[in-house]
Amino acid sequence: MNPLLSPFDTAPFSQIKNEHFKPAFLQSIEDARAEIDAITNNTEAPTFENTVEALEFSGHQLDRISSVFFNLNSAETNEEIQKIAQEISPLLSEFSNDITLNENLFKRVKAVYDQKDDLDLTVEQNTLLDKKYKSFSRNGANLSEDKKKRLREIDAKLAKLNLTFGENVLAETNKFQLHLTDEADLDGLPEGEKEAAAQLAISKGKEDGWMITLDYPSYIPFMKYAKNRELRKKLSLAFGSKAFHNDELDNQENVLKIAKLRFERAKLLGYKTHANFVLEERMAETPEKVHSFLNELLEKAKPAAEREFKQLEDFAKKLDHIDRLEKWDSSYYSEKLKQELFNLDDEKLKPYFKLENVINGVFKVAENLFDLQFEEVHDIEKYHEEVKTYKVYDIDKNFISLFYADFHPRAGKRGGAWMTSYKSQWKRNDENVRPHISNVCNFTPSTKSKPSLLTFNEVTTLFHEFGHGLHGMLANTTYPSLSGTSVFWDFVELPSQVLENWCYEKEALELFAKHYETGETIPMELVKKIKESATFQEGMQTLRQLSFGLLDMSWHGIDPTSITNVKAHEEEAFKGTNLYPATPETCMSTAFSHIFQGGYSSGYYSYKWAEVLDADAFAYFKEKGIFNKEVATKFKNNVLSQGGTENPMILYKRFRGAEPKVEALLERAGLL
């Protein structure tokens, strides 16, 4: 019996074998196809219920299987799963096209759409109808047969290319290992980091020495603390040249193919560029508005960034007679300068941020704001022993969500941090089906002598992903495709980024920042320094984020057909934001998974846009009190629970009473 083909609530991880996936996909695609046929062949006149709603709830089992499979492919993959993904992705792409290019189905949806003003629909029903209609019109329903055929070909190719891109980045990350046997090479590294490196060496089959890899918990401390400049350079160039080696894992050709196919697809659908196509369904609306937004911030941030860079250069010269500051010097001297200016470094802070305490802290913040309670449970199946599982309840003990938490790096797990879902929330037949949400991160693991102690950056990352998690957990909509994080991409980062603000507040830190050995609450002096250092090098950080947004738009906001050299194109895009000397050996585009594998193509600017939203939103909390129930309830009722049921600006204004102001971000960042 294939466990994926039986109805399941929680994912039955222990019963699933790799050989179950492909048959389950093939069967569930056929079942979903039969549901689509039933809608299309219905002899009754098209109505919202028998066409739009029926379409929304079709393919449920396929959705559940897809979520299990592709989440595993990100968090616990292997060569066999990757091979299945390469076989399955084109089939799913083809099935998706079979729906959006189904002429008779489109006719039924259009018939409902054309009479929507007379149907007395709710706001959410109107949004769903609009979304379903656009899913056809924006994906080729109005094309001629030959153009529909070409669209199918493009989508199948893109599905495979996106996967290959991600597999190459993961393989490159796993491939690099810096095995050190001379302890002098670790000079500057704190004892805890040395111990972690020694433990990592053993786990990689080396009986002696220390191992440094390109996984963040290993890479970042070395770049921040190691005195050996040549080794920092070696590591930096390895990190910056992932999938840029002219070998079998090279992504240059994949980048060019993806950009050009996306452009061809957009043109086929009647759009000027891929960015024009994407941004039609974003708060920003057009590439021109994105460029205007990025350039406005660039104008404000660049002078500050140049001043900060000059300060860092002068500091490195004074300290170590460094004549030319390079990229591999950035973290090292920034950390030293930060210590000098604020007498603050991660080693002073980490003892107060034991992972379990930070988890309890973010739960406590959620309890104080939204009346949620988290209960760890041990009877839910997990895909890896490190995963923790929780049941989430409201103040009246109503079940709200299941929550999976997976925090440490592994060979089968891609880098970075993300939130995902194993089951959406929706309402049907008087039942409110609750979601299953997951946070996946790559934090510093525990060692023999110390528990997992987080850097402050890891603390903010945990809060960030948990903000996304709350958006999923507190969803309270009728339709799954409008639920939780199913919102415009430049709105999706608001819940995550706004929650980071609590990490800087005394009232919140006192809930969880306790010394892992003594239990002492973080001293006020350190809290003050965290606050003071919050805008340290903010100009440089802003310039870096803007450079990524501009690179994204340079690939997707133009006709890329004449681009032949990935590196040269990237250098041109970065021209206005460069501070450090160029490194010919490195290339960001070949490992820029957000835009070439994830969903952020033409959308990377949204991190900065969401900072405007979150700075403006948190200013409201600050004004009323960071745990003010009235403001928190407004945020829950108008943002977190509403998903994509209405235009995000309407939802935001309902919460805040006005549109967000860019000045809130500039003021917080000290750039005004």
Side-chain angles (χ1 to χ4, degrees):
M1 184 68 184
N2 190 326
L4 291 166
L5 289 172
S6 303
F8 57 87
D9 183 34
T10 58
F13 293 115
S14 68
Q15 301 165 49
I16 302 170
K17 296 182 170 61
N18 286 345
E19 59 262 29
H20 288 140
F21 283 115
K22 194 169 180 183
F25 271 114
L26 293 173
Q27 182 61 56
S28 59
I29 286 172
E30 282 312 303
D31 293 345
R33 207 183 290 280
E35 291 178 88
I36 298 297
D37 288 344
I39 298 166
T40 309
N41 299 329
N42 190 339
T43 54
E44 293 177 16
T47 64
F48 180 83
E49 289 74 17
N50 72 19
T51 301
V52 177
E53 216 168 54
L55 184 57
E56 169 70 0
F57 286 107
S58 67
H60 171 71
Q61 192 76 357
L62 177 59
D63 290 341
R64 293 299 313 275
I65 294 165
S66 296
S67 71
V68 171
F69 177 76
F70 287 104
N71 283 333
L72 287 177
N73 193 35
S74 291
E76 188 61 15
T77 195
N78 53 49
E79 284 184 10
E80 198 178 347
I81 286 178
Q82 290 177 349
K83 183 172 177 289
I84 296 166
Q86 288 283 0
E87 293 170 9
I88 290 302
S89 291
L91 298 179
L92 291 171
S93 175
E94 184 185 355
F95 173 65
S96 175
N97 282 332
D98 285 345
I99 295 174
T100 55
L101 300 177
N102 183 324
E103 211 169 310
N104 291 329
L105 182 59
F106 179 50
K107 278 179 186 169
R108 288 186 70 88
V109 172
K110 188 174 185 303
V112 181
Y113 185 79
D114 287 344
Q115 53 175 321
K116 66 176 184 174
D117 293 342
D118 304 319
L119 294 179
D120 194 27
L121 300 176
T122 66
V123 170
E124 187 175 350
Q125 287 173 329
N126 255 315
T127 303
L128 182 71
L129 176 54
D130 193 52
K131 185 172 181 173
K132 291 298 177 198
Y133 177 76
K134 282 181 177 174
S135 75
F136 288 89
S137 64
R138 282 171 50 82
N139 287 291
N142 293 315
L143 295 179
S144 59
E145 284 308 314
D146 59 325
K147 287 183 176 177
K148 283 181 180 178
K149 183 172 180 287
R150 179 59 189 150
L151 189 76
R152 286 175 180 275
E153 290 167 359
I154 290 170
D155 286 347
K157 285 179 181 175
L158 281 170
K160 294 198 80 159
L161 283 166
N162 293 347
L163 277 173
T164 302
F165 181 96
E167 287 168 7
N168 288 351
V169 174
L170 180 62
E172 283 275 86
T173 304
N174 287 338
K175 189 172 73 169
F176 180 87
Q177 296 181 352
L178 179 62
H179 182 223
L180 303 172
T181 52
D182 184 351
E183 192 165 1
D185 288 336
L186 286 91
D187 197 13
L189 249 70
E191 282 308 312
E193 302 300 345
K194 281 189 188 178
E195 189 183 353
Q199 197 165 295
L200 188 58
I202 293 167
S203 74
K204 299 285 185 186
K206 304 289 183 186
E207 290 181 17
D208 62 342
W210 300 265
M211 183 73 76
I212 309 296
T213 69
L214 299 182
D215 286 318
Y216 282 145
S218 179
Y219 173 77
I220 288 173
F222 196 87
M223 297 305 294
K224 191 182 279 189
Y225 296 114
K227 287 183 181 176
N228 189 319
R229 195 181 186 209
E230 278 306 305
L231 286 178
R232 290 203 315 268
K233 177 180 178 180
K234 183 175 183 177
L235 204 61
S236 172
L237 293 180
F239 191 90
S241 62
K242 282 186 284 191
F244 183 61
H245 295 297
N246 294 310
D247 59 14
E248 71 279 1
L249 296 176
D250 190 286
N251 266 339
Q252 290 175 84
E253 202 55 42
N254 293 327
V255 166
L256 293 172
K257 284 178 180 173
I258 290 169
K260 289 170 185 179
L261 284 168
R262 284 173 175 169
F263 173 73
E264 185 188 348
R265 188 182 195 281
K267 291 292 280 185
L268 205 58
L269 293 166
Y271 294 87
K272 189 179 173 186
T273 67
H274 177 69
N276 288 87
F277 170 76
V278 169
L279 293 168
E280 185 180 68
E281 293 290 281
R282 301 287 190 268
M283 292 177 83
E285 297 173 335
T286 66
E288 291 74 22
K289 284 189 182 177
V290 171
H291 278 292
S292 172
F293 170 67
L294 293 175
N295 288 325
E296 182 189 352
L297 284 180
L298 184 58
E299 194 182 319
K300 295 279 197 296
K302 195 167 184 179
E306 288 171 341
R307 284 195 303 274
E308 291 162 3
F309 187 71
K310 176 75 167 61
Q311 181 190 33
L312 192 63
E313 272 188 319
D314 293 345
F315 176 73
K317 192 161 195 169
K318 185 185 86 175
L319 195 67
D320 288 331
H321 312 293
I322 299 293
D323 288 325
R324 191 169 92 149
L325 207 60
E326 301 280 2
K327 287 177 182 173
W328 44 89
D329 298 318
S330 172
S331 294
Y332 181 75
Y333 287 106
S334 290
E335 183 63 22
K336 289 264 185 283
L337 178 58
K338 188 177 177 183
Q339 286 179 33
E340 182 168 293
L341 293 174
F342 305 103
N343 190 23
L344 181 73
D345 67 71
D346 270 331
E347 290 311 299
K348 282 185 178 152
L349 294 176
K350 280 170 72 174
Y352 295 97
F353 295 126
K354 181 182 171 185
L355 174 61
E356 288 74 13
N357 291 349
V358 180
I359 295 168
N360 290 336
V362 83
F363 288 169
K364 190 72 182 163
V365 168
E367 181 184 339
N368 288 355
L369 288 169
F370 309 119
D371 294 325
L372 295 178
Q373 292 168 354
F374 294 78
E375 179 190 311
E376 186 169 7
V377 291
H378 303 281
D379 57 350
I380 303 291
E381 292 198 20
K382 308 186 287 195
Y383 56 86
H384 192 277
E385 60 185 12
E386 289 180 347
V387 177
K388 295 174 181 290
T389 51
Y390 301 86
K391 284 186 175 174
V392 188
Y393 298 94
D394 67 13
I395 199 165
D396 298 317
K397 291 292 179 190
N398 296 308
F399 176 69
I400 295 298
S401 175
L402 186 63
F403 178 56
Y404 298 88
D406 180 3
F407 288 126
H408 301 300
R410 294 186 296 274
K413 188 190 213 181
R414 68 175 167 90
W418 63 95
M419 167 266 180
T420 187
S421 161
Y422 282 93
K423 181 184 176 187
S424 298
Q425 175 273 332
W426 71 88
K427 296 175 191 169
R428 206 175 190 195
N429 303 328
D430 297 325
E431 183 188 6
N432 191 334
V433 176
R434 299 312 302 166
H436 298 173
I437 302 300
S438 176
N439 276 175
V440 188
C441 303
N442 282 276
F443 293 150
T444 308
S446 58
T447 63
K448 282 179 184 171
S449 68
K450 286 191 180 76
S452 175
L453 301 175
L454 305 190
T455 65
F456 187 69
N457 187 51
E458 288 176 325
V459 174
T460 59
T461 298
L462 191 150
F463 270 69
H464 178 103
E465 296 308 331
F466 193 76
H468 283 309
L470 288 172
H471 205 179
M473 290 180 225
L474 290 168
N476 194 28
T477 64
T478 306
Y479 303 112
S481 72
L482 301 178
S483 181
T485 55
S486 299
V487 299
F488 283 4
W489 275 87
D490 47 6
F491 192 61
V492 78
E493 294 298 333
L494 166 61
S496 55
Q497 289 184 192
V498 80
L499 203 68
E500 290 182 39
N501 289 282
W502 273 262
C503 300
Y504 296 90
E505 298 296 324
K506 173 180 178 288
E507 216 180 321
L509 285 167
E510 286 178 343
L511 296 174
F512 66 92
K514 316 266 186 194
H515 197 286
Y516 78 101
E517 288 177 314
T518 66
E520 174 205 8
T521 301
I522 192 167
M524 261 312 298
E525 172 202 356
L526 284 182
V527 175
K528 188 165 173 280
K529 286 175 181 175
I530 289 172
K531 292 278 282 185
E532 286 171 352
S533 64
T535 57
F536 174 65
Q537 293 186 341
E538 186 64 40
M540 287 169 66
Q541 294 297 335
T542 299
L543 208 63
R544 181 173 177 269
Q545 281 291 93
L546 294 175
S547 74
F548 297 167
L550 290 165
L551 177 62
D552 173 24
M553 293 305 290
S554 81
W555 282 113
H556 298 116
I558 62 161
D559 173 352
T561 51
S562 60
I563 302 171
T564 55
N565 186 313
V566 173
K567 175 69 174 174
H569 175 77
E570 178 171 298
E571 282 180 340
E572 184 63 27
F574 281 153
K575 208 159 59 177
T577 58
N578 277 336
L579 294 171
Y580 291 93
T583 47
E585 310 94 321
T586 66
C587 181
M588 183 181 178
S589 297
T590 56
F592 200 174
S593 299
H594 272 77
I595 68 169
F596 289 113
Q597 183 195 11
Y600 276 88
S601 64
S602 306
Y604 202 87
Y605 75 91
S606 61
Y607 281 103
K608 263 312 181 213
W609 171 242
E611 278 188 50
V612 173
L613 295 173
D614 101 64
D616 189 71
F618 193 65
Y620 190 20
F621 275 100
K622 289 281 282 182
E623 183 190 318
K624 302 282 189 181
I626 67 163
F627 288 117
N628 180 279
K629 271 284 163 53
E630 182 196 350
V631 180
T633 303
K634 273 188 179 180
F635 193 68
K636 179 166 82 169
N637 292 345
N638 295 301
V639 176
L640 295 177
S641 66
Q642 293 303 302
T645 54
E646 278 189 85
N647 183 290
M649 189 58 85
I650 292 172
L651 294 175
Y652 187 83
K653 282 160 70 176
R654 206 173 283 148
F655 153 66
R656 187 66 167 100
E659 290 196 6
K661 298 179 181 68
V662 74
E663 288 75 21
L665 171 62
L666 296 171
E667 188 178 325
R668 184 178 71 182
L671 297 174
L672 268 181

